[in-house]
Amino acid sequence: MEITREAGLSVWRQIQQIIESEIREKLYAPGARLPTEADLAKRFQVNRHTVRRALSRLEERGLLRTEQGRGTFVQEAIIVYKVASRTRFSENLAKQHRAPNRTLLAAMDMPATTEIARALRIRRGAPIVYLLTTGEADGRRISISAHYFPKPRFDGIGDLVAETRSISSAIKRLGVAEFTRESTRVVARMPSTEDARQLKMPKNRPMLVTEGINVDANGARIEYSVSRFCSDWVQIVVEP
């Protein structure tokens, strides 16, 4: 397919259609990195602004994604992350034949802020354990999560998460055999510079944020979490 400069379809839209056709025909496989803007501009004999406009349109259509500092890639299949009464990160991904992994970035004791105290139904300033983790699917980071647990019930949970790479397993090791999701709130929010860096997503695209509260078999609140998901990769589905 060649670019024509006669009256009719604009050049950038022709480039969009050519690249889209090549994606549909698997000339660029899912996850493959496209040539640089400079290389595409040379191929089509146009300026980079024209190429950028075509790529931007393909991103809007969900066919491409841009990773800061790495380039533009063909979008893979979206991960459907189900939120229900029993929400487990690893199980969610394993059911979709994805390889799950959780990495502990930070663990510390801290006093509960007003927001955390309200969520856990404890007094403001009460001691809690804070964990910061990442969630990966097939080796790609899809989420960053902050977890808050009341002390002293969950003392040592950071070491257990580092060992098991699982929040659920760590909670079970601390004596909570089963827990359920009491509530989940889902919002869309623009990422901060740090969010965009951690999730390798554009700063001008919203991320999905979930705020969840988990309770034990007696209804006691055991965890408040705030998870940020890259919207290029994850679709959140709330089930009864």
Side-chain angles (χ1 to χ4, degrees), residues 12 15 34 44 52 67 84 86-88 90 100-102 111 113 117 130 150 158 163 173 197-198 204 215 222 234 236:
W12 73 266
I15 295 172
L34 263 64
F44 294 114
R52 191 174 300 126
E67 293 189 10
R86 191 181 185 281
T87 299
R88 304 290 186 267
S90 295
N101 185 50
R102 189 178 291 281
T113 64
Y130 160 73
E163 175 190 338
R173 292 266 293 269
R197 186 187 70 82
Q198 290 276 11
N204 61 351
V215 298
I222 62 167
V234 177
I236 295 176

Side-chain angles (χ1 to χ4, degrees), residues 1-6 9-19 40-46 50-51 54:
M1 299 177 68
E2 297 181 354
I3 298 296
T4 61
R5 300 180 183 275
E6 300 173 358
L9 200 61
S10 60
V11 171
W12 73 266
R13 193 171 292 278
Q14 291 180 63
I15 295 172
Q16 173 206 323
Q17 291 181 349
I18 290 171
I19 295 176
L40 289 171
K42 183 177 180 180
R43 171 189 171 185
F44 294 114
Q45 297 184 341
V46 297
T50 301
V51 169

Side-chain angles (χ1 to χ4, degrees), residues 84-221:
S85 60
R86 191 181 185 281
T87 299
R88 304 290 186 267
F89 179 82
S90 295
E91 288 182 16
N92 254 339
L93 297 182
K95 287 178 180 177
Q96 297 175 66
H97 308 289
R98 305 271 188 168
N101 185 50
R102 189 178 291 281
T103 301
L104 180 67
L105 297 182
M108 67 181 72
D109 294 347
M110 60 181 285
T113 64
T114 299
E115 177 186 10
I116 297 168
R118 184 182 300 113
L120 292 175
R121 289 180 177 162
I122 58 178
R123 63 177 176 80
R124 183 176 181 276
I128 60 170
V129 181
Y130 160 73
L131 305 182
L132 181 66
T133 68
T134 63
E136 291 93 30
D138 298 333
R140 181 173 297 279
R141 184 174 296 176
I142 62 170
S143 67
I144 306 172
S145 301
H147 310 263
Y148 306 94
F149 301 90
K151 286 174 63 67
R153 187 176 186 182
F154 291 96
D155 280 338
I157 192 169
D159 292 336
L160 292 174
V161 170
E163 175 190 338
T164 64
R165 295 182 175 270
S166 167
I167 295 289
S168 301
S169 297
I171 290 175
K172 188 173 183 179
R173 292 266 293 269
L174 288 171
V176 181
E178 190 59 52
F179 62 93
T180 55
R181 179 62 59 94
E182 181 180 83
S183 66
T184 302
R185 186 166 74 106
V186 183
V187 298
R189 185 180 303 159
M190 298 304 293
S192 66
T193 300
E194 180 62 15
D195 290 331
R197 186 187 70 82
Q198 290 276 11
L199 292 171
K200 295 183 173 63
M201 64 178 292
K203 289 191 290 186
N204 61 351
R205 184 158 312 136
M207 61 183 180
L208 297 174
V209 182
T210 65
E211 298 179 14
I213 295 174
N214 287 324
V215 298
D216 65 13
N218 296 317
R221 296 187 173 186

